[in-house]
Amino acid sequence: MDLKQLKNLAAKNEVRIDDHAGHKSKPAHFYSSLRDAFGFYFNTFQTKNESYDFYISSTSTTIKKNLKILESQFLDVENTVLCLVAFERFFELFLKDILSKTNPKLTYKEHYRNKSNSTWMMLDKIKNKRFVPNRPDGKRIHKIPFRETINRFYDLINYSNDPTKKNHAIVKRFSKVYKNFQFLDDNDFKATLEFLNWYRDNILHDGNKLPRLRFLDFIITQRVIPIANKILASEPTIPSDWLYFTKTISGIEILTSMLNIGFKLRNSKTENKINETYNALLCIGHLKELGRANMKMNNALRNNRSAYEYNYNDIFGRGKRFALAEKKNHKNAKEIKICPCCNVNSLVHYTILGKDLDMPQNNDIEWLKCYTCDYYIRYNVFDLHYFNPELEKHFNY
């Protein structure tokens, strides 16, 4: 079976996920990539939580060239790749959606024999019906890659700010479509989109380098979340219950809290600055774990019913029963508490006394596990009381 046959087979076996006759989603289908991207990012704490405190302490005090082995050990390859690719997919389709609503031809690749020297020239061709799309197989129109999408999008922003060009029919239409997202007229935001495109291409076309964990935290919290938060706040088609992943049942605003954390990649030289960076990275770790557990608490579970066990309607009760069973039957389960994520009384506090270990030590080993939302924290990263004294203190530190 050759490529042409495989393409024909694919055309007969595809399912449309965008809006079309008989199907409409709110928000648009590509927003699922944004939610998925955050889910992959949140996972990068759980997979490396056992000695996370050692990692952030080392990266805050040790020069990079001496951390190669440690950085490799703390790299979550799967979730890092999926996170960056999903974020890139969201932003690409988000910008293309604005361009397409302005004029579908703005997302088409132009035929190489008729290629315009500028976006402005292309607008003139579209207006005068001289635009020729690229159809390599004579049927399907090729869409432009993300790099070109960014260029066309920001060219149109510039034209909308130019008194000599803003009255062009297509530019005027663009200004109306893009009005809710005018905050994107920002050089830092444009650079972030270009950077995501560059990194995604490097990952998929070369594939031998990934951002270390601390750099991934920098990319997402310092560059991506400022854009994503504004888009989520400005998109009028997003139902409030779709945003469940941004806020825990207990009321913790995950993305907003991450947005308010600042840290730099370069190691600080003073003890105070080192402590600030350590605490910032520690807080990001806690927020990622809250985000991971909260991501499981979708709207079905928040209404106390299982999303996939179709006849099961007591999720919170089941979590409590599992916690009670653990406390009764597991020798290290000491207490049941209220979970700081889902607010259910199903958080089990486990303790192994230091004197009972094979190699006795002064410190006890402690951890928390919720049997409703799966929230999990070890004593090595303290607890949320460390950041907010109003929250319960669990560990002895």
Side-chain angles (χ1 to χ4, degrees):
M1 193 176 290
D2 61 19
L3 176 59
K4 183 178 180 180
Q5 291 171 315
L6 286 170
K7 285 183 177 180
N8 289 335
L9 192 63
K12 297 173 183 177
N13 290 278
E14 293 177 326
V15 177
R16 283 193 65 173
I17 59 173
D18 61 342
D19 288 353
H20 58 279
H23 176 82
K24 192 171 182 64
S25 61
K26 287 188 178 182
H29 68 285
F30 48 83
Y31 275 89
S32 62
S33 287
L34 181 62
R35 191 159 66 186
D36 291 343
F38 278 116
F40 298 134
Y41 174 61
F42 295 154
N43 287 343
T44 59
F45 172 77
Q46 184 199 35
T47 57
K48 306 296 176 183
N49 63 28
E50 183 178 357
S51 49
Y52 180 73
D53 56 321
F54 172 72
Y55 171 76
I56 60 175
S57 176
S58 297
T59 61
S60 298
T61 56
T62 309
I63 58 176
K64 289 181 186 178
K65 67 180 182 181
N66 294 334
L67 291 170
K68 288 185 178 179
I69 295 176
L70 185 69
E71 295 292 5
S72 178
Q73 291 172 339
F74 277 84
L75 179 64
D76 182 337
V77 173
E78 178 183 5
N79 285 300
T80 299
V81 169
L82 293 173
C83 164
L84 292 173
V85 171
F87 274 123
E88 192 272 355
R89 179 178 187 268
F90 165 72
F91 286 117
E92 177 171 353
L93 295 182
F94 170 76
L95 293 191
K96 280 181 174 171
D97 185 60
I98 294 176
L99 293 179
S100 183
K101 286 176 179 175
T102 301
N103 188 304
K105 291 183 175 66
L106 291 172
T107 66
Y108 296 170
K109 182 175 284 190
E110 198 170 8
H111 194 280
Y112 69 94
R113 290 179 180 172
N114 195 44
K115 192 169 179 60
S116 303
N117 294 326
S118 66
T119 303
W120 183 250
M121 182 184 292
M122 185 188 68
L123 295 185
D124 186 59
K125 287 181 182 178
I126 294 173
K127 181 181 177 182
N128 294 299
K129 299 181 180 180
R130 293 186 291 105
F131 179 87
V132 180
N134 189 34
R135 299 175 186 263
D137 58 1
K139 296 179 180 179
R140 182 176 294 189
I141 297 172
H142 267 202
K143 297 292 186 76
I144 54 175
F146 190 30
R147 184 184 303 105
E148 197 166 345
T149 301
I150 295 170
N151 290 337
R152 289 187 186 180
F153 181 83
Y154 278 93
D155 281 345
L156 281 161
I157 289 179
N158 291 335
Y159 300 156
S160 68
N161 294 327
D162 186 339
T164 66
K165 296 178 178 178
K166 67 179 183 180
N167 290 321
H168 188 286
I170 295 177
V171 177
K172 287 173 71 175
R173 173 63 182 164
F174 172 80
S175 297
K176 291 179 181 179
V177 174
Y178 142 85
K179 66 179 180 181
N180 287 335
F181 308 104
Q182 293 184 25
F183 55 83
L184 290 170
D185 186 5
D186 183 292
N187 288 333
D188 278 351
F189 286 178
K190 181 185 178 186
T192 297
L193 298 177
E194 291 171 329
F195 179 73
L196 283 174
N197 176 59
W198 173 82
Y199 230 132
R200 177 261 184 196
D201 287 351
N202 275 4
I203 290 170
L204 296 187
H205 302 314
D206 192 357
N208 66 343
K209 290 182 181 179
L210 292 172
R212 62 192 186 115
L213 179 58
R214 182 168 166 179
F215 186 41
L216 181 68
D217 286 338
F218 175 85
I219 295 169
I220 306 305
T221 65
Q222 311 299 300
R223 305 294 303 199
V224 172
I225 290 180
I227 310 175
N229 257 14
K230 285 181 178 292
I231 290 174
L232 291 175
S234 304
E235 174 55 73
T237 67
I238 297 181
S240 59
D241 61 356
W242 187 88
L243 291 166
Y244 71 85
F245 71 99
T246 66
K247 185 178 181 180
T248 66
I249 294 174
S250 63
I252 298 173
E253 297 274 2
I254 297 166
L255 300 187
T256 301
S257 297
M258 284 185 169
L259 184 64
N260 294 329
I261 297 174
F263 74 95
K264 297 180 179 179
L265 283 174
R266 182 173 296 177
N267 284 349
S268 302
K269 301 189 182 300
T270 67
E271 186 173 348
N272 284 342
K273 290 295 182 181
I274 290 172
N275 288 337
E276 283 180 15
T277 300
Y278 177 89
N279 287 336
L281 293 171
L282 187 65
C283 188
I284 289 172
H286 276 273
L287 289 168
K288 283 197 280 188
E289 177 57 18
L290 285 167
R292 183 197 67 81
N294 184 62
M295 190 70 78
K296 294 176 177 291
M297 299 302 295
N298 59 31
N299 291 312
L301 271 64
R302 287 169 187 248
N303 289 313
N304 205 23
R305 68 178 189 275
S306 173
Y308 306 108
E309 301 167 70
Y310 301 107
N311 298 310
Y312 199 93
N313 292 306
D314 190 20
I315 295 298
F316 298 150
R318 179 163 66 180
K320 293 175 183 178
R321 291 189 291 275
F322 269 70
L324 285 169
E326 278 292 280
K327 187 175 185 300
K328 180 180 178 180
N329 298 300
H330 196 288
K331 66 178 182 178
N332 299 126
K334 305 303 181 184
E335 293 183 77
I336 299 175
K337 299 178 176 181
I338 301 291
C339 177
C341 178
C342 67
N343 242 12
V344 178
N345 193 34
S346 57
L347 184 76
V348 179
H349 187 161
Y350 296 85
T351 304
I352 302 176
L353 298 177
K355 64 183 180 63
D356 293 336
L357 295 170
D358 292 338
M359 296 181 64
Q361 61 183 45
N362 293 329
N363 295 330
D364 300 335
I365 295 175
E366 301 177 88
W367 69 95
L368 303 171
K369 164 79 174 183
C370 178
Y371 286 92
T372 300
C373 68
D374 197 41
Y375 175 77
Y376 172 83
I377 283 291
R378 293 182 77 250
Y379 73 114
N380 61 300
V381 294
F382 312 138
D383 51 44
L384 292 173
H385 173 85
Y386 182 79
F387 307 100
N388 183 354
E390 294 181 3
L391 299 174
E392 183 179 1
K393 184 177 181 179
H394 299 287
F395 302 138
N396 182 25
Y397 55 85

